Amino acid sequence: MKRTVIMVIALILPLFLFAEKDETQDAVNALLRSVDLSEWDAWFSENGMDSIGLPSKILSSIANMQKPFASNLSARDLVSVLKPSIGSLLAGMTLFVGLAAFGAALQGVSGSSTVGETADGAFRVSVSAVVLVVSMTGIRSAFSAITVLEHTAELLLPAIVGYLSLTGLENTALLLPASYVLLNEIVLRLIETCAAPLAITGGVLLTLDANGIGRLSSVGRLLQRAAKWTLTTACSVYMLVTTVRSVAAASADGLLIKTTKLAAGSIPAIGSLLSESVDTAYHCMRFVRNALGLTGCAVLILVMLKPLLSIFLTRCSLRASALLSEPLSGKPYAELLRGMGDTLHILMLCELAALAMSLLMLVPVVGMGN
């Protein structure tokens, strides 16, 4: 909590120190005009997020110390936005609980006869197919969300790296492409080809296990644990490596700025004036850099917000249905729903991990390494 407060103060303090100076504001506006976010705006509109606000407008609002989003959002507007997702949640719960009630009625009518066992087996197979079909929407959403995140992060780099190179922060400018290659070519590929498929395969095996106590169920649980272990290991290694490299790059750039300031201050007669000018220019560049980094973080979060909400509600539907259905149809049917719910939970963790690592890639831009 203390680090967060210090970081927020460090980001806001330059605004209060230099906001009232006309020459500083002119310098900030000139730097803002040097940043071209037309490609960001086009990509934002393509993904259906233009109703919230374009990245160029968000950057301008942050730079002018204004709220980047509308503050007149009412409860009715929030309900209208969440209504389709809540409707799908209730529809899924109704379907699963209805199937549980139908299974309980089928068991009561057929009894323990041979016909009853056949009907019960057919019911479990049918229910497994229904659960798989309903869950496919969340699975496809998770994979497409990670792909969109990759393309968004790739689109953010040119403008940010160009600005960092323009302002003389070469070490941080070189760090971002290297971090993106590590993220895209290794970590996200590992998630897409290993962690997510293991989780999905485990969920399918749990769903196909008719009684919930067979070998398929054990193998499914093992695959889900392997998926969690793979995801945790990949994220931990990436965050450790990126944090160390970010601190090193920020220290190197900070040393360059201090050296420039000392060199300017050593000039006789006008050294003090030059030192103050360099310091003011540095604060202006850092202010715009922070605003650009915060805009990039906002773009990543807004692009991932809808897929995360979708898969979260689908998982809640499965877990709540399992809780309500167990008294009706017994533990096997409830375990079937819980197994697929755990699969969607792991996929949601994959999305959150990809988002967190993409945000960590932009940490040096926001100045947290200083």
Side-chain angles (χ1 to χ4, degrees):
M1 184 63 184
K2 185 182 294 184
R3 289 184 177 180
T4 304
V5 173
I6 294 174
M7 180 188 69
V8 172
I9 293 176
L11 292 175
I12 296 178
L13 186 59
L15 308 183
F16 292 102
L17 291 177
F18 299 97
E20 298 299 328
K21 296 184 179 180
D22 294 337
E23 63 275 12
T24 303
Q25 187 62 44
D26 292 339
V28 169
N29 293 333
L31 289 172
L32 288 174
R33 287 193 294 269
S34 66
V35 181
D36 183 15
L37 300 184
S38 57
E39 294 185 1
W40 292 20
D41 294 342
W43 176 255
F44 217 55
S45 301
E46 183 180 343
N47 286 275
M49 305 298 295
D50 52 341
S51 59
I52 299 177
L54 297 176
S56 57
K57 295 182 178 179
I58 297 176
L59 174 62
S60 178
S61 299
I62 294 176
N64 293 322
M65 294 179 291
Q66 298 173 352
K67 294 182 179 180
F69 307 106
S71 58
N72 55 353
L73 183 65
S74 62
R76 181 176 300 177
D77 297 330
L78 184 61
V79 171
S80 64
V81 172
L82 296 178
K83 188 175 181 180
S85 300
I86 296 176
S88 62
L89 170 67
L90 296 177
M93 290 182 60
T94 302
L95 173 63
F96 295 136
V97 175
L99 288 175
F102 177 76
L106 185 64
Q107 290 178 358
V109 172
S110 59
S112 59
S113 61
T114 304
V115 177
E117 294 179 358
T118 304
D120 184 64
F123 169 73
R124 293 188 182 278
V125 171
S126 302
V127 166
S128 299
V130 171
V131 172
L132 287 175
V133 170
V134 172
S135 302
M136 283 303 298
T137 303
I139 294 173
R140 287 196 302 267
S141 174
F143 276 97
S144 62
I146 294 177
T147 302
V148 170
L149 184 66
E150 292 179 17
H151 295 163
T152 304
E154 182 180 7
L155 190 66
L156 296 179
L157 288 182
I160 295 178
V161 172
Y163 178 78
L164 293 175
S165 301
L166 177 67
T167 54
L169 303 176
E170 289 86 1
N171 294 282
T172 306
L174 292 174
L175 172 66
L176 291 186
S179 299
Y180 174 75
V181 170
L182 178 62
L183 174 63
N184 184 49
E185 299 297 333
I186 298 179
V187 181
L188 292 184
R189 287 291 174 269
L190 189 62
I191 291 176
E192 291 177 337
T193 60
C194 187
L198 283 175
I200 295 171
T201 304
V204 171
L205 293 178
L206 287 170
T207 304
L208 295 179
D209 191 355
N211 296 320
I213 57 175
R215 293 183 177 180
L216 292 179
S217 177
S218 301
V219 174
R221 295 293 181 188
L222 178 62
L223 292 178
Q224 287 185 342
R225 286 194 294 269
K228 291 181 180 179
W229 182 86
T230 303
L231 179 63
T232 302
T233 303
C235 294
S236 300
V237 172
Y238 173 82
M239 290 186 174
L240 178 62
V241 172
T242 304
T243 300
V244 173
R245 295 172 68 179
S246 300
V247 172
S251 300
D253 288 331
L255 179 62
L256 178 62
I257 295 296
K258 291 180 180 178
T259 304
T260 304
K261 184 178 178 180
L262 289 175
S266 63
I267 299 176
I270 61 171
S272 177
L273 179 61
L274 286 178
S275 179
E276 292 181 1
S277 299
V278 170
D279 190 54
T280 302
Y282 168 67
H283 281 293
C284 292
M285 292 185 297
R286 188 175 67 175
F287 174 41
V288 177
R289 183 197 66 188
N290 292 342
L292 186 60
L294 290 174
T295 303
C297 293
V299 170
L300 291 174
I301 293 173
L302 292 175
V303 166
M304 289 293 291
L305 189 59
K306 186 176 180 180
L308 282 172
L309 179 62
S310 175
I311 196 170
F312 173 74
L313 291 178
T314 305
R315 174 188 175 274
C316 290
S317 173
L318 289 168
R319 299 290 292 185
S321 300
L323 182 63
L324 296 175
S325 301
E326 188 169 358
L328 296 175
S329 58
K331 188 174 181 179
Y333 177 73
E335 288 297 324
L336 182 150
L337 297 178
R338 290 194 187 98
M340 186 53 67
D342 292 340
T343 298
L344 296 182
H345 177 70
I346 297 175
L347 293 178
M348 184 179 66
L349 291 179
C350 290
E351 292 182 2
L352 288 173
L355 176 60
M357 289 184 290
S358 300
L359 294 176
L360 183 63
M361 181 182 66
L362 299 180
V363 161
V365 183
V366 189
M368 289 181 63
N370 294 342

